[in-house]
Amino acid sequence: MADLGMFAKGARITGSSRVDLRKELRARYDNGASIRSLANETGRSYGFVRNVLAESGVELRGRGGAHPSSGHGSA
């Protein structure tokens, strides 16, 4: 996977660089990474990472991360 810290802090990310970042963040998010962990890896804010993920069309998980359905609901 690509080095997510390759952009200077605060630098505007546009064009093909943003497309590449969007793909990489989405792949990591789809594999279970949290928005917070991706923000830490990139040195970007939670909001920035969330917006880039939203641009990618990914369905954002609810709070608390990925929780596989265990079939143990309250009945």
Side-chain angles (χ1 to χ4, degrees):
M1 293 204 177
D3 175 18
L4 293 180
M6 63 188 165
F7 301 104
K9 186 173 177 91
R12 186 171 295 268
I13 303 171
T14 60
S16 63
S17 294
R18 191 172 185 98
V19 171
D20 293 343
L21 180 63
R22 187 181 307 142
K23 289 177 186 176
E24 185 64 28
L25 289 176
R26 180 173 183 155
R28 291 187 187 202
Y29 186 77
D30 285 344
N31 285 320
S34 68
I35 295 175
R36 181 96 36 224
S37 69
L38 293 171
N40 288 336
E41 286 181 51
T42 59
R44 296 290 170 153
S45 71
Y46 179 98
F48 174 85
V49 172
R50 187 183 186 288
N51 288 339
V52 171
L53 287 170
E55 287 173 16
S56 78
V58 72
E59 186 173 335
L60 297 172
R61 297 188 292 266
R63 291 175 54 108
H67 295 288
S69 178
S70 63
H72 298 333
S74 57

Short mmCIF file of all heavy atoms in Angstrom, two decimals:
data_model
loop_
_atom_site.label_atom_id
_atom_site.label_comp_id
_atom_site.label_asym_id
_atom_site.label_seq_id
_atom_site.Cartn_x
_atom_site.Cartn_y
_atom_site.Cartn_z
N MET A 1 0.83 -1.18 0.00
CA MET A 1 0.00 0.00 0.00
C MET A 1 0.88 1.24 0.00
O MET A 1 2.00 1.22 0.45
CB MET A 1 -0.93 0.00 1.20
CG MET A 1 -1.97 -1.09 1.16
SD MET A 1 -3.39 -0.65 2.15
CE MET A 1 -4.40 -2.06 1.80
N ALA A 2 0.31 2.31 -0.45
CA ALA A 2 1.06 3.55 -0.59
C ALA A 2 1.36 4.18 0.77
O ALA A 2 0.70 3.90 1.76
CB ALA A 2 0.27 4.54 -1.45
N ASP A 3 2.35 5.06 0.77
CA ASP A 3 2.70 5.82 1.97
C ASP A 3 1.71 6.98 2.09
O ASP A 3 1.73 7.90 1.28
CB ASP A 3 4.13 6.33 1.86
CG ASP A 3 4.53 7.23 3.01
OD1 ASP A 3 3.85 7.20 4.06
OD2 ASP A 3 5.52 7.96 2.86
N LEU A 4 0.84 6.93 3.09
CA LEU A 4 -0.17 7.96 3.23
C LEU A 4 0.39 9.27 3.75
O LEU A 4 -0.28 10.28 3.68
CB LEU A 4 -1.29 7.46 4.16
CG LEU A 4 -2.12 6.31 3.63
CD1 LEU A 4 -3.19 5.92 4.63
CD2 LEU A 4 -2.76 6.65 2.30
N GLY A 5 1.59 9.27 4.28
CA GLY A 5 2.18 10.49 4.80
C GLY A 5 3.01 11.24 3.77
O GLY A 5 3.84 12.06 4.10
N MET A 6 2.76 10.97 2.48
CA MET A 6 3.61 11.53 1.43
C MET A 6 3.29 12.98 1.10
O MET A 6 4.02 13.62 0.35
CB MET A 6 3.52 10.69 0.17
CG MET A 6 2.16 10.64 -0.46
SD MET A 6 2.13 9.45 -1.78
CE MET A 6 0.38 9.26 -2.01
N PHE A 7 2.22 13.52 1.66
CA PHE A 7 1.84 14.90 1.36
C PHE A 7 2.23 15.81 2.52
O PHE A 7 2.07 15.45 3.68
CB PHE A 7 0.32 15.00 1.13
CG PHE A 7 -0.15 14.14 0.00
CD1 PHE A 7 -0.81 12.95 0.23
CD2 PHE A 7 0.09 14.52 -1.31
CE1 PHE A 7 -1.25 12.16 -0.81
CE2 PHE A 7 -0.35 13.73 -2.37
CZ PHE A 7 -1.01 12.55 -2.11
N ALA A 8 2.72 16.99 2.19
CA ALA A 8 3.10 17.94 3.23
C ALA A 8 1.86 18.36 4.01
O ALA A 8 0.79 18.55 3.44
CB ALA A 8 3.76 19.17 2.60
N LYS A 9 2.02 18.48 5.32
CA LYS A 9 0.90 18.86 6.17
C LYS A 9 0.33 20.19 5.71
O LYS A 9 1.06 21.16 5.50
CB LYS A 9 1.38 18.96 7.62
CG LYS A 9 0.25 19.21 8.59
CD LYS A 9 0.76 19.14 10.02
CE LYS A 9 -0.33 19.46 10.99
NZ LYS A 9 -1.06 18.30 11.41
N GLY A 10 -0.97 20.22 5.52
CA GLY A 10 -1.65 21.45 5.11
C GLY A 10 -1.63 21.71 3.61
O GLY A 10 -2.28 22.64 3.14
N ALA A 11 -0.90 20.88 2.86
CA ALA A 11 -0.85 21.08 1.40
C ALA A 11 -2.19 20.70 0.79
O ALA A 11 -2.83 19.75 1.21
CB ALA A 11 0.25 20.22 0.79
N ARG A 12 -2.60 21.46 -0.21
CA ARG A 12 -3.83 21.16 -0.92
C ARG A 12 -3.59 19.95 -1.81
O ARG A 12 -2.60 19.90 -2.54
CB ARG A 12 -4.24 22.36 -1.76
CG ARG A 12 -5.59 22.21 -2.43
CD ARG A 12 -6.04 23.51 -3.05
NE ARG A 12 -6.27 24.53 -2.05
CZ ARG A 12 -7.45 24.76 -1.47
NH1 ARG A 12 -8.48 24.03 -1.79
NH2 ARG A 12 -7.58 25.71 -0.59
N ILE A 13 -4.48 18.98 -1.76
CA ILE A 13 -4.34 17.75 -2.55
C ILE A 13 -5.44 17.75 -3.60
O ILE A 13 -6.62 17.66 -3.28
CB ILE A 13 -4.43 16.50 -1.65
CG1 ILE A 13 -3.38 16.57 -0.55
CG2 ILE A 13 -4.26 15.24 -2.48
CD1 ILE A 13 -3.51 15.51 0.50
N THR A 14 -5.03 17.88 -4.86
CA THR A 14 -5.99 17.97 -5.96
C THR A 14 -5.57 17.06 -7.10
O THR A 14 -4.49 16.47 -7.08
CB THR A 14 -6.06 19.42 -6.50
OG1 THR A 14 -4.76 19.80 -6.96
CG2 THR A 14 -6.54 20.40 -5.45
N GLY A 15 -6.44 16.96 -8.09
CA GLY A 15 -6.13 16.22 -9.31
C GLY A 15 -5.85 14.75 -9.08
O GLY A 15 -6.50 14.10 -8.26
N SER A 16 -4.86 14.25 -9.80
CA SER A 16 -4.56 12.81 -9.74
C SER A 16 -4.05 12.40 -8.36
O SER A 16 -4.29 11.26 -7.93
CB SER A 16 -3.55 12.42 -10.82
OG SER A 16 -2.32 13.07 -10.60
N SER A 17 -3.41 13.30 -7.65
CA SER A 17 -2.95 12.98 -6.29
C SER A 17 -4.13 12.70 -5.37
O SER A 17 -4.11 11.78 -4.56
CB SER A 17 -2.12 14.12 -5.70
OG SER A 17 -0.93 14.29 -6.42
N ARG A 18 -5.19 13.49 -5.53
CA ARG A 18 -6.38 13.30 -4.70
C ARG A 18 -7.09 12.00 -5.09
O ARG A 18 -7.59 11.29 -4.22
CB ARG A 18 -7.32 14.49 -4.81
CG ARG A 18 -8.44 14.46 -3.78
CD ARG A 18 -9.23 15.75 -3.80
NE ARG A 18 -10.23 15.80 -2.77
CZ ARG A 18 -10.10 16.41 -1.60
NH1 ARG A 18 -8.97 17.03 -1.31
NH2 ARG A 18 -11.07 16.42 -0.74
N VAL A 19 -7.14 11.71 -6.37
CA VAL A 19 -7.75 10.46 -6.83
C VAL A 19 -7.01 9.27 -6.24
O VAL A 19 -7.62 8.32 -5.74
CB VAL A 19 -7.78 10.39 -8.38
CG1 VAL A 19 -8.21 9.01 -8.86
CG2 VAL A 19 -8.70 11.46 -8.94
N ASP A 20 -5.67 9.31 -6.28
CA ASP A 20 -4.86 8.23 -5.72
C ASP A 20 -5.09 8.09 -4.21
O ASP A 20 -5.24 6.98 -3.70
CB ASP A 20 -3.37 8.46 -5.98
CG ASP A 20 -3.01 8.36 -7.46
OD1 ASP A 20 -3.82 7.80 -8.24
OD2 ASP A 20 -1.92 8.84 -7.82
N LEU A 21 -5.13 9.22 -3.51
CA LEU A 21 -5.36 9.20 -2.07
C LEU A 21 -6.75 8.64 -1.78
O LEU A 21 -6.92 7.82 -0.87
CB LEU A 21 -5.22 10.61 -1.48
CG LEU A 21 -5.45 10.71 0.02
CD1 LEU A 21 -4.42 9.91 0.80
CD2 LEU A 21 -5.43 12.18 0.46
N ARG A 22 -7.74 9.05 -2.55
CA ARG A 22 -9.11 8.57 -2.37
C ARG A 22 -9.16 7.05 -2.50
O ARG A 22 -9.77 6.37 -1.67
CB ARG A 22 -10.01 9.23 -3.41
CG ARG A 22 -11.47 8.96 -3.24
CD ARG A 22 -12.30 9.63 -4.34
NE ARG A 22 -12.00 11.03 -4.45
CZ ARG A 22 -11.93 11.70 -5.61
NH1 ARG A 22 -12.13 11.09 -6.76
NH2 ARG A 22 -11.66 12.98 -5.63
N LYS A 23 -8.51 6.51 -3.51
CA LYS A 23 -8.49 5.05 -3.72
C LYS A 23 -7.81 4.34 -2.55
O LYS A 23 -8.28 3.31 -2.07
CB LYS A 23 -7.78 4.71 -5.02
CG LYS A 23 -8.56 5.08 -6.25
CD LYS A 23 -7.74 4.77 -7.50
CE LYS A 23 -8.43 5.26 -8.76
NZ LYS A 23 -7.58 5.05 -9.94
N GLU A 24 -6.69 4.87 -2.11
CA GLU A 24 -5.94 4.25 -1.02
C GLU A 24 -6.70 4.30 0.30
O GLU A 24 -6.78 3.30 1.01
CB GLU A 24 -4.58 4.94 -0.87
CG GLU A 24 -3.67 4.28 0.14
CD GLU A 24 -3.25 2.88 -0.23
OE1 GLU A 24 -3.18 2.55 -1.44
OE2 GLU A 24 -3.01 2.09 0.70
N LEU A 25 -7.28 5.45 0.61
CA LEU A 25 -8.05 5.56 1.85
C LEU A 25 -9.25 4.63 1.81
O LEU A 25 -9.56 3.96 2.80
CB LEU A 25 -8.50 7.01 2.08
CG LEU A 25 -7.41 8.00 2.45
CD1 LEU A 25 -7.99 9.41 2.55
CD2 LEU A 25 -6.72 7.62 3.75
N ARG A 26 -9.92 4.57 0.67
CA ARG A 26 -11.09 3.69 0.57
C ARG A 26 -10.70 2.23 0.75
O ARG A 26 -11.38 1.48 1.46
CB ARG A 26 -11.80 3.89 -0.77
CG ARG A 26 -13.02 2.98 -0.85
CD ARG A 26 -13.87 3.21 -2.03
NE ARG A 26 -15.02 2.32 -1.94
CZ ARG A 26 -16.17 2.54 -2.49
NH1 ARG A 26 -16.35 3.64 -3.20
NH2 ARG A 26 -17.16 1.69 -2.37
N ALA A 27 -9.60 1.82 0.12
CA ALA A 27 -9.16 0.42 0.26
C ALA A 27 -8.88 0.09 1.72
O ALA A 27 -9.30 -0.96 2.22
CB ALA A 27 -7.93 0.19 -0.60
N ARG A 28 -8.20 0.98 2.41
CA ARG A 28 -7.88 0.73 3.82
C ARG A 28 -9.13 0.75 4.69
O ARG A 28 -9.27 -0.06 5.61
CB ARG A 28 -6.84 1.73 4.32
CG ARG A 28 -5.49 1.51 3.66
CD ARG A 28 -4.44 2.38 4.28
NE ARG A 28 -3.19 2.26 3.54
CZ ARG A 28 -2.01 2.54 4.06
NH1 ARG A 28 -1.90 2.97 5.28
NH2 ARG A 28 -0.93 2.42 3.32
N TYR A 29 -10.04 1.68 4.40
CA TYR A 29 -11.28 1.76 5.16
C TYR A 29 -12.12 0.50 4.93
O TYR A 29 -12.67 -0.07 5.88
CB TYR A 29 -12.06 3.01 4.74
CG TYR A 29 -13.31 3.27 5.56
CD1 TYR A 29 -13.22 3.81 6.84
CD2 TYR A 29 -14.57 2.99 5.06
CE1 TYR A 29 -14.35 4.06 7.60
CE2 TYR A 29 -15.71 3.24 5.81
CZ TYR A 29 -15.60 3.78 7.07
OH TYR A 29 -16.72 4.01 7.82
N ASP A 30 -12.20 0.06 3.68
CA ASP A 30 -12.95 -1.16 3.35
C ASP A 30 -12.34 -2.39 4.04
O ASP A 30 -13.04 -3.36 4.30
CB ASP A 30 -12.99 -1.40 1.84
CG ASP A 30 -13.97 -0.47 1.13
OD1 ASP A 30 -14.84 0.14 1.80
OD2 ASP A 30 -13.86 -0.35 -0.11
N ASN A 31 -11.04 -2.34 4.33
CA ASN A 31 -10.37 -3.44 5.01
C ASN A 31 -10.41 -3.31 6.53
O ASN A 31 -9.72 -4.04 7.24
CB ASN A 31 -8.93 -3.58 4.52
CG ASN A 31 -8.85 -4.20 3.15
OD1 ASN A 31 -9.60 -5.13 2.85
ND2 ASN A 31 -7.98 -3.70 2.30
N GLY A 32 -11.18 -2.35 7.03
CA GLY A 32 -11.40 -2.26 8.47
C GLY A 32 -10.74 -1.11 9.21
O GLY A 32 -10.96 -0.95 10.41
N ALA A 33 -9.91 -0.32 8.53
CA ALA A 33 -9.26 0.81 9.21
C ALA A 33 -10.32 1.84 9.60
O ALA A 33 -11.31 2.04 8.88
CB ALA A 33 -8.22 1.46 8.31
N SER A 34 -10.13 2.49 10.72
CA SER A 34 -11.06 3.54 11.15
C SER A 34 -10.67 4.87 10.52
O SER A 34 -9.52 5.06 10.09
CB SER A 34 -11.02 3.68 12.67
OG SER A 34 -9.77 4.21 13.09
N ILE A 35 -11.62 5.78 10.48
CA ILE A 35 -11.33 7.12 9.97
C ILE A 35 -10.25 7.75 10.85
O ILE A 35 -9.31 8.38 10.34
CB ILE A 35 -12.60 7.99 9.94
CG1 ILE A 35 -13.60 7.42 8.93
CG2 ILE A 35 -12.24 9.44 9.59
CD1 ILE A 35 -14.93 8.14 8.90
N ARG A 36 -10.36 7.57 12.15
CA ARG A 36 -9.38 8.15 13.08
C ARG A 36 -7.97 7.62 12.79
O ARG A 36 -7.00 8.38 12.77
CB ARG A 36 -9.79 7.83 14.52
CG ARG A 36 -8.88 8.38 15.55
CD ARG A 36 -9.26 9.70 16.16
NE ARG A 36 -10.65 9.96 16.36
CZ ARG A 36 -11.22 11.13 16.06
NH1 ARG A 36 -10.51 12.12 15.58
NH2 ARG A 36 -12.50 11.33 16.27
N SER A 37 -7.83 6.31 12.56
CA SER A 37 -6.50 5.75 12.29
C SER A 37 -5.96 6.26 10.96
O SER A 37 -4.77 6.53 10.83
CB SER A 37 -6.53 4.22 12.32
OG SER A 37 -7.24 3.69 11.23
N LEU A 38 -6.84 6.41 9.97
CA LEU A 38 -6.40 6.93 8.67
C LEU A 38 -5.98 8.40 8.81
O LEU A 38 -5.00 8.82 8.19
CB LEU A 38 -7.52 6.80 7.63
CG LEU A 38 -7.87 5.36 7.25
CD1 LEU A 38 -9.12 5.33 6.39
CD2 LEU A 38 -6.71 4.69 6.53
N ALA A 39 -6.68 9.15 9.64
CA ALA A 39 -6.31 10.54 9.88
C ALA A 39 -4.93 10.62 10.52
O ALA A 39 -4.09 11.44 10.14
CB ALA A 39 -7.36 11.22 10.75
N ASN A 40 -4.68 9.74 11.48
CA ASN A 40 -3.37 9.72 12.14
C ASN A 40 -2.27 9.34 11.16
O ASN A 40 -1.18 9.93 11.18
CB ASN A 40 -3.37 8.75 13.32
CG ASN A 40 -4.18 9.27 14.49
OD1 ASN A 40 -4.38 10.48 14.65
ND2 ASN A 40 -4.67 8.37 15.31
N GLU A 41 -2.52 8.36 10.30
CA GLU A 41 -1.52 7.93 9.32
C GLU A 41 -1.19 9.02 8.31
O GLU A 41 -0.04 9.14 7.88
CB GLU A 41 -2.01 6.70 8.55
CG GLU A 41 -2.01 5.42 9.34
CD GLU A 41 -2.50 4.26 8.49
OE1 GLU A 41 -1.99 4.08 7.37
OE2 GLU A 41 -3.40 3.54 8.95
N THR A 42 -2.20 9.77 7.90
CA THR A 42 -2.00 10.79 6.88
C THR A 42 -1.56 12.13 7.44
O THR A 42 -1.09 12.99 6.70
CB THR A 42 -3.29 11.03 6.07
OG1 THR A 42 -4.33 11.44 6.95
CG2 THR A 42 -3.72 9.80 5.31
N GLY A 43 -1.74 12.32 8.76
CA GLY A 43 -1.44 13.63 9.34
C GLY A 43 -2.51 14.65 8.99
O GLY A 43 -2.31 15.85 9.10
N ARG A 44 -3.67 14.16 8.57
CA ARG A 44 -4.80 15.01 8.20
C ARG A 44 -5.87 14.94 9.27
O ARG A 44 -5.87 14.05 10.12
CB ARG A 44 -5.40 14.57 6.86
CG ARG A 44 -4.45 14.71 5.69
CD ARG A 44 -4.25 16.16 5.41
NE ARG A 44 -3.18 16.37 4.45
CZ ARG A 44 -3.13 17.42 3.65
NH1 ARG A 44 -4.07 18.34 3.68
NH2 ARG A 44 -2.13 17.57 2.83
N SER A 45 -6.82 15.84 9.20
CA SER A 45 -7.89 15.84 10.19
C SER A 45 -8.89 14.73 9.91
O SER A 45 -9.00 14.21 8.79
CB SER A 45 -8.63 17.18 10.17
OG SER A 45 -9.39 17.31 8.98
N TYR A 46 -9.63 14.38 10.95
CA TYR A 46 -10.71 13.40 10.83
C TYR A 46 -11.68 13.85 9.74
O TYR A 46 -12.10 13.06 8.90
CB TYR A 46 -11.41 13.29 12.18
CG TYR A 46 -12.57 12.33 12.21
CD1 TYR A 46 -12.41 11.04 12.69
CD2 TYR A 46 -13.84 12.74 11.79
CE1 TYR A 46 -13.48 10.16 12.73
CE2 TYR A 46 -14.91 11.86 11.83
CZ TYR A 46 -14.73 10.58 12.29
OH TYR A 46 -15.78 9.71 12.33
N GLY A 47 -12.04 15.14 9.76
CA GLY A 47 -12.99 15.69 8.78
C GLY A 47 -12.50 15.57 7.35
O GLY A 47 -13.27 15.26 6.44
N PHE A 48 -11.20 15.83 7.14
CA PHE A 48 -10.63 15.72 5.79
C PHE A 48 -10.76 14.28 5.29
O PHE A 48 -11.21 14.04 4.18
CB PHE A 48 -9.16 16.15 5.79
CG PHE A 48 -8.47 15.92 4.47
CD1 PHE A 48 -8.55 16.86 3.46
CD2 PHE A 48 -7.76 14.75 4.24
CE1 PHE A 48 -7.93 16.64 2.24
CE2 PHE A 48 -7.15 14.51 3.02
CZ PHE A 48 -7.23 15.47 2.01
N VAL A 49 -10.36 13.33 6.13
CA VAL A 49 -10.40 11.92 5.73
C VAL A 49 -11.84 11.50 5.48
O VAL A 49 -12.15 10.83 4.49
CB VAL A 49 -9.73 11.02 6.79
CG1 VAL A 49 -9.95 9.55 6.48
CG2 VAL A 49 -8.24 11.34 6.88
N ARG A 50 -12.75 11.92 6.34
CA ARG A 50 -14.16 11.57 6.17
C ARG A 50 -14.69 12.13 4.85
O ARG A 50 -15.41 11.45 4.12
CB ARG A 50 -14.98 12.11 7.35
CG ARG A 50 -16.42 11.65 7.31
CD ARG A 50 -17.22 12.28 8.46
NE ARG A 50 -18.56 11.74 8.52
CZ ARG A 50 -19.52 12.00 7.65
NH1 ARG A 50 -19.30 12.78 6.62
NH2 ARG A 50 -20.72 11.46 7.80
N ASN A 51 -14.33 13.37 4.53
CA ASN A 51 -14.79 13.97 3.28
C ASN A 51 -14.23 13.24 2.06
O ASN A 51 -14.95 13.03 1.08
CB ASN A 51 -14.41 15.45 3.22
CG ASN A 51 -15.24 16.30 4.16
OD1 ASN A 51 -16.33 15.92 4.57
ND2 ASN A 51 -14.71 17.45 4.52
N VAL A 52 -12.96 12.86 2.11
CA VAL A 52 -12.36 12.14 0.98
C VAL A 52 -13.04 10.77 0.82
O VAL A 52 -13.34 10.34 -0.30
CB VAL A 52 -10.83 11.99 1.16
CG1 VAL A 52 -10.24 11.05 0.13
CG2 VAL A 52 -10.16 13.36 1.09
N LEU A 53 -13.32 10.10 1.93
CA LEU A 53 -14.03 8.83 1.85
C LEU A 53 -15.43 9.02 1.27
O LEU A 53 -15.88 8.21 0.44
CB LEU A 53 -14.11 8.17 3.23
CG LEU A 53 -12.82 7.58 3.76
CD1 LEU A 53 -12.99 7.18 5.23
CD2 LEU A 53 -12.36 6.40 2.93
N ALA A 54 -16.12 10.07 1.69
CA ALA A 54 -17.45 10.34 1.16
C ALA A 54 -17.39 10.61 -0.34
O ALA A 54 -18.26 10.13 -1.09
CB ALA A 54 -18.08 11.53 1.90
N GLU A 55 -16.36 11.32 -0.79
CA GLU A 55 -16.16 11.56 -2.23
C GLU A 55 -16.01 10.24 -2.98
O GLU A 55 -16.40 10.14 -4.14
CB GLU A 55 -14.89 12.38 -2.48
CG GLU A 55 -14.98 13.83 -2.10
CD GLU A 55 -13.62 14.52 -2.22
OE1 GLU A 55 -12.71 13.97 -2.88
OE2 GLU A 55 -13.47 15.61 -1.66
N SER A 56 -15.42 9.25 -2.33
CA SER A 56 -15.17 7.97 -2.98
C SER A 56 -16.44 7.14 -3.13
O SER A 56 -16.45 6.14 -3.84
CB SER A 56 -14.13 7.15 -2.20
OG SER A 56 -14.72 6.55 -1.06
N GLY A 57 -17.49 7.55 -2.42
CA GLY A 57 -18.76 6.84 -2.51
C GLY A 57 -18.89 5.69 -1.53
O GLY A 57 -19.86 4.94 -1.57
N VAL A 58 -17.92 5.54 -0.63
CA VAL A 58 -17.97 4.45 0.34
C VAL A 58 -19.14 4.68 1.31
O VAL A 58 -19.50 5.81 1.61
CB VAL A 58 -16.63 4.35 1.12
CG1 VAL A 58 -16.46 5.49 2.09
CG2 VAL A 58 -16.51 3.03 1.83
N GLU A 59 -19.74 3.59 1.77
CA GLU A 59 -20.77 3.69 2.79
C GLU A 59 -20.07 3.74 4.14
O GLU A 59 -19.41 2.78 4.54
CB GLU A 59 -21.71 2.49 2.73
CG GLU A 59 -22.88 2.60 3.67
CD GLU A 59 -23.89 1.49 3.50
OE1 GLU A 59 -23.96 0.91 2.41
OE2 GLU A 59 -24.59 1.20 4.49
N LEU A 60 -20.18 4.88 4.80
CA LEU A 60 -19.48 5.06 6.07
C LEU A 60 -20.14 4.23 7.15
O LEU A 60 -21.36 4.13 7.23
CB LEU A 60 -19.48 6.54 6.46
CG LEU A 60 -18.72 7.46 5.50
CD1 LEU A 60 -18.95 8.92 5.88
CD2 LEU A 60 -17.25 7.13 5.49
N ARG A 61 -19.30 3.60 7.97
CA ARG A 61 -19.80 2.79 9.08
C ARG A 61 -20.31 3.68 10.19
O ARG A 61 -19.88 4.83 10.33
CB ARG A 61 -18.66 1.91 9.64
CG ARG A 61 -18.11 0.92 8.64
CD ARG A 61 -17.13 -0.04 9.30
NE ARG A 61 -15.89 0.58 9.73
CZ ARG A 61 -14.76 0.62 8.99
NH1 ARG A 61 -14.73 0.09 7.79
NH2 ARG A 61 -13.68 1.18 9.48
N GLY A 62 -21.17 3.13 11.01
CA GLY A 62 -21.66 3.85 12.18
C GLY A 62 -20.57 3.94 13.23
O GLY A 62 -19.52 3.33 13.12
N ARG A 63 -20.84 4.69 14.27
CA ARG A 63 -19.87 4.83 15.36
C ARG A 63 -19.56 3.48 15.97
O ARG A 63 -20.42 2.62 16.08
CB ARG A 63 -20.42 5.77 16.43
CG ARG A 63 -20.51 7.20 15.95
CD ARG A 63 -21.18 8.07 16.98
NE ARG A 63 -20.53 7.98 18.27
CZ ARG A 63 -19.78 8.93 18.79
NH1 ARG A 63 -19.59 10.06 18.15
NH2 ARG A 63 -19.22 8.78 19.98
N GLY A 64 -18.32 3.30 16.36
CA GLY A 64 -17.93 2.05 17.00
C GLY A 64 -17.25 1.08 16.07
O GLY A 64 -16.83 0.02 16.48
N GLY A 65 -17.17 1.42 14.79
CA GLY A 65 -16.42 0.58 13.85
C GLY A 65 -17.18 -0.61 13.34
O GLY A 65 -18.39 -0.73 13.50
N ALA A 66 -16.47 -1.51 12.73
CA ALA A 66 -17.06 -2.68 12.10
C ALA A 66 -17.38 -3.73 13.16
O ALA A 66 -16.53 -4.12 13.93
CB ALA A 66 -16.10 -3.27 11.08
N HIS A 67 -18.61 -4.14 13.20
CA HIS A 67 -19.05 -5.17 14.13
C HIS A 67 -19.82 -6.22 13.34
O HIS A 67 -20.95 -5.96 12.93
CB HIS A 67 -19.96 -4.61 15.22
CG HIS A 67 -19.27 -3.65 16.13
ND1 HIS A 67 -18.35 -4.02 17.06
CD2 HIS A 67 -19.35 -2.30 16.21
CE1 HIS A 67 -17.91 -2.96 17.70
NE2 HIS A 67 -18.49 -1.89 17.19
N PRO A 68 -19.22 -7.37 13.12
CA PRO A 68 -19.93 -8.40 12.37
C PRO A 68 -21.20 -8.83 13.11
O PRO A 68 -21.21 -8.87 14.34
CB PRO A 68 -18.93 -9.55 12.27
CG PRO A 68 -17.78 -9.20 13.14
CD PRO A 68 -17.91 -7.77 13.56
N SER A 69 -22.21 -9.12 12.36
CA SER A 69 -23.46 -9.57 12.95
C SER A 69 -23.26 -10.93 13.60
O SER A 69 -22.86 -11.89 12.95
CB SER A 69 -24.55 -9.65 11.88
OG SER A 69 -25.73 -10.13 12.45
N SER A 70 -23.53 -11.01 14.89
CA SER A 70 -23.30 -12.26 15.61
C SER A 70 -24.59 -13.02 15.84
O SER A 70 -24.58 -14.14 16.34
CB SER A 70 -22.63 -11.99 16.95
OG SER A 70 -23.49 -11.20 17.75
N GLY A 71 -25.72 -12.40 15.50
CA GLY A 71 -26.99 -13.06 15.71
C GLY A 71 -27.46 -13.03 17.15
O GLY A 71 -28.42 -13.67 17.52
N HIS A 72 -26.76 -12.27 18.00
CA HIS A 72 -27.12 -12.18 19.41
C HIS A 72 -27.83 -10.86 19.69
O HIS A 72 -27.29 -9.97 20.31
CB HIS A 72 -25.89 -12.26 20.32
CG HIS A 72 -25.13 -13.54 20.22
ND1 HIS A 72 -25.70 -14.73 19.85
CD2 HIS A 72 -23.84 -13.84 20.45
CE1 HIS A 72 -24.79 -15.68 19.86
NE2 HIS A 72 -23.64 -15.16 20.21
N GLY A 73 -29.01 -10.70 19.19
CA GLY A 73 -29.75 -9.48 19.44
C GLY A 73 -30.66 -9.65 20.63
O GLY A 73 -30.90 -10.75 21.11
N SER A 74 -31.17 -8.56 21.14
CA SER A 74 -32.12 -8.68 22.25
C SER A 74 -33.48 -9.02 21.68
O SER A 74 -33.92 -8.43 20.70
CB SER A 74 -32.18 -7.38 23.05
OG SER A 74 -32.52 -6.31 22.22
N ALA A 75 -34.15 -10.00 22.26
CA ALA A 75 -35.43 -10.43 21.72
C ALA A 75 -36.52 -10.31 22.73
O ALA A 75 -36.39 -10.35 23.87
CB ALA A 75 -35.33 -11.89 21.26
#
